Amino acid sequence: MNEPITAVHHVAYTVPDLDQAIAFFGDALGAELRYRVGPLSDPGDWMSRRLGVHPRAVVRIAMLRLGPALQLELFEYEVPGQRRVLPVNSDLGGHHLAFRTDDIDAAVKRLAERPGVRILGEVDTVGEGPIEGTRWVYLTAPWGMQLELVEPPPDPVRPVDPDGAGR
């Protein structure tokens, strides 16, 4: 039987400055720029009808690839009446983007040196439950987007391969 959904194709976020976001994800996290387009606009109602935004919106778009599978689409809109406040995780529509790392301490140290990055507290370890041993910390990108670093514990069933195979 064919499943209607076979995989996640991409995740997308609106950012206040596309150039800044591309530079941050590329320089700090190793993202590869796949493409960028825009500015795009339409004199009719295409933007509102197809994207659910103001009909006079102007958008610039970039697609980045992070790691082996994540495609991250970034939008920068110029639009009348745009709300310029990012939601926090407890708000409706709140979100964060989590990245796996094999060395969370080194990743935190490197990111903490980047201008505008704010590490939210210390690295914590989950003490019990289904993700026991997972180490994690939240941080914010220079424009305030909430991110998370996650270091999963070694798989107790499979020995850790020093070359990374089997993870």
Side-chain angles (χ1 to χ4, degrees):
M1 178 164 110
N2 288 340
E3 296 295 323
I5 304 297
T6 57
V8 172
H9 182 268
H10 68 274
V11 295
Y13 294 94
T14 298
V15 296
D17 181 326
L18 189 63
D19 295 326
Q20 177 191 42
I22 291 169
F24 173 76
F25 284 113
D27 297 343
L29 299 171
E32 169 194 343
L33 177 63
R34 302 297 298 269
Y35 65 81
R36 67 186 296 166
V37 297
L40 305 172
S41 62
D42 182 78
D45 68 349
W46 190 93
M47 296 295 264
S48 125
R49 192 170 33 82
R50 297 298 302 265
L51 300 178
V53 299
H54 191 282
R56 297 292 72 81
V58 177
V59 65
R60 296 185 320 134
I61 305 168
M63 183 70 80
L64 308 177
R65 184 171 185 108
L66 286 101
L70 176 62
Q71 293 192 107
L72 176 62
E73 189 174 32
L74 302 173
F75 291 82
E76 178 188 349
Y77 283 100
E78 294 175 27
V79 60
Q82 183 180 45
R83 190 172 64 95
R84 308 271 310 167
V85 177
L86 292 171
V88 297
N89 280 333
S90 57
D91 289 340
L92 293 179
H95 59 271
H96 70 277
L97 181 58
F99 296 99
R100 178 187 174 137
T101 179
D102 293 327
D103 187 347
I104 197 166
D105 298 309
V108 166
K109 183 177 184 210
R110 188 178 74 250
L111 287 164
E113 294 170 353
R114 300 215 42 104
V117 171
R118 189 167 56 105
I119 308 296
L120 303 179
E122 302 294 321
V123 173
D124 201 359
T125 302
V126 178
E128 60 184 58
I131 59 170
E132 181 177 355
T134 298
R135 300 180 70 215
W136 65 275
V137 67
Y138 272 47
L139 60 138
T140 60
W143 61 93
M145 180 178 173
Q146 296 173 64
L147 306 172
E148 181 182 10
L149 297 176
V150 178
E151 181 185 312
D155 187 334
V157 177
R158 284 181 285 174
V160 174
D161 180 336
D163 295 326
R167 285 191 182 182

